[in-house]
Amino acid sequence: MQRRAQRAEQSDQRARRLSRVLVGAAAVPVMLIAAGCSSDSGSGADAKQASESPAGASASPSPTVEAAAYAKLPEPCSVLSKKTLEELVPEAGKSGKESSSDDVSTRAGCSWDSLDNNGVKGSQFRWLNVSLLRFESDVARGSGEQRAQEYYEKQVGDVRSAEGAKNTKAEPLTGTGDQATAVRYDLKKKEGAFKQQTIVTRVENVVVTLDYNGAGLAGDKTPDADDLMKDAQKAAKEAVTAVTKANGTNASATPGGTDSPSKSATSSKSPSQRS
């Protein structure tokens, strides 16, 4: 009887220990499940926050600028017809002197000089120069047309304030590009009295500056300024036409290209422009 009682007591002890083990084992999955739920809840909040942050928003569109109308310049020494050259600079010869330039697609020029020697009666001097500058569109600097207009206005101001100029007169012109201004003045140099005519014109994103001056040397008479201006206006119109023809009817330039001409094209100076 006593042994049976002991076995019964041992059996009850084993049963209690097994019960405690089972209860402990059952608690482990509950803790894991609770931890998993807590982790999922945090991930969902983080995802929502990320979706609402600025980093998740789409990028703003890149700024754009209108494409420049003209993509190239004409051959500078070919912008004027043979007939015009014979009238303005009759003793210039067959070709002009092309200006040096590091990029002829943005800056170019050509000059001609003529000396008609009349012996003891003196001589007639003429000097003609055409400069062409093309501006491309740039997102940071503006459209090619806008940049050309800014340069055009500056160029007119520079011509009007030329050193040594006397009796300066300036007037707007019509029928020559989109904008045009004619400036005339007198220059007294050791070689003689010069009559300077300058026409600055803008056509789209290109600025054309045409200089034409004349003088009677060694006792010859001073040329008439009105006649010189008429010739200069005719030549300026031809130069503008040459720009449009060089680019055709559907010409365009890609925006964001090169800046304004990086280096000045050097042109020979007439005696009226030398110090």
Side-chain angles (χ1 to χ4, degrees):
M1 290 291 291
Q2 185 177 3
R3 285 194 294 272
R4 285 198 297 271
Q6 291 175 346
R7 286 195 294 272
E9 183 178 356
Q10 292 174 354
S11 178
D12 292 339
Q13 291 176 352
R14 287 194 297 271
R16 286 195 296 271
R17 286 197 296 271
L18 179 60
S19 176
R20 287 196 297 271
V21 171
L22 293 174
V23 170
V28 173
V30 172
M31 294 173 63
L32 292 176
I33 293 172
C37 291
S38 176
S39 176
D40 291 343
S41 176
S43 297
D46 291 343
K48 181 179 180 182
Q49 183 178 3
S51 66
E52 295 175 351
S53 66
S58 59
S60 300
S62 300
T64 59
V65 65
E66 183 181 1
Y70 297 141
K72 60 182 179 180
L73 294 176
E75 164 58 43
C77 292
S78 300
V79 296
L80 301 179
S81 68
K82 181 179 179 180
K83 180 181 178 181
T84 297
L85 291 174
E86 288 177 348
E87 292 175 353
L88 273 64
V89 281
E91 303 299 322
K94 296 181 179 180
S95 61
K97 181 180 179 181
E98 186 172 348
S99 304
S100 62
S101 174
D102 59 347
D103 185 0
V104 294
S105 70
T106 57
R107 183 186 291 266
C110 191
S111 63
W112 300 260
D113 59 79
S114 171
L115 183 63
D116 186 6
N117 193 337
N118 297 314
V120 295
K121 295 182 179 180
S123 58
Q124 285 291 320
F125 176 81
R126 299 289 185 273
W127 182 77
L128 175 64
N129 184 77
V130 178
S131 297
L132 306 102
L133 280 82
R134 183 181 66 84
F135 295 84
E136 293 187 359
S137 296
D138 184 273
V139 172
R141 297 170 180 260
S143 68
E145 182 176 354
Q146 175 187 340
R147 298 176 66 196
Q149 183 174 0
E150 292 171 355
Y151 178 81
Y152 162 83
E153 294 172 354
K154 180 181 181 300
Q155 183 76 338
V156 171
D158 290 345
V159 174
R160 296 184 66 174
S161 59
E163 183 178 358
K166 302 293 184 181
N167 304 319
T168 302
K169 298 179 181 179
E171 60 180 352
L173 297 179
T174 59
T176 306
D178 298 310
Q179 292 176 285
T181 299
V183 182
R184 66 170 67 184
Y185 54 82
D186 300 332
L187 278 176
K188 183 67 176 179
K189 295 291 182 178
K190 61 182 180 180
E191 294 88 354
F194 288 81
K195 297 291 184 178
Q196 174 70 36
Q197 322 296 316
T198 299
I199 296 179
V200 183
T201 181
R202 179 186 67 82
V203 52
E204 298 288 356
N205 58 309
V206 175
V207 176
V208 179
T209 302
L210 186 138
D211 293 296
Y212 185 49
N213 66 46
L217 307 180
D220 206 345
K221 64 179 182 179
T222 301
D224 183 78
D226 290 336
D227 291 340
L228 294 178
M229 178 57 76
K230 291 178 181 178
D231 290 337
Q233 290 182 18
K234 176 183 177 181
K237 289 181 179 181
E238 282 190 21
V240 168
T241 300
V243 172
T244 59
K245 286 184 176 180
N247 288 274
T249 56
N250 298 315
S252 64
T254 303
T258 61
D259 292 337
S260 60
S262 57
K263 295 182 180 179
S264 299
T266 58
S267 60
S268 59
K269 292 184 178 181
S270 74
S272 68
Q273 295 180 314
R274 300 191 190 113
S275 56

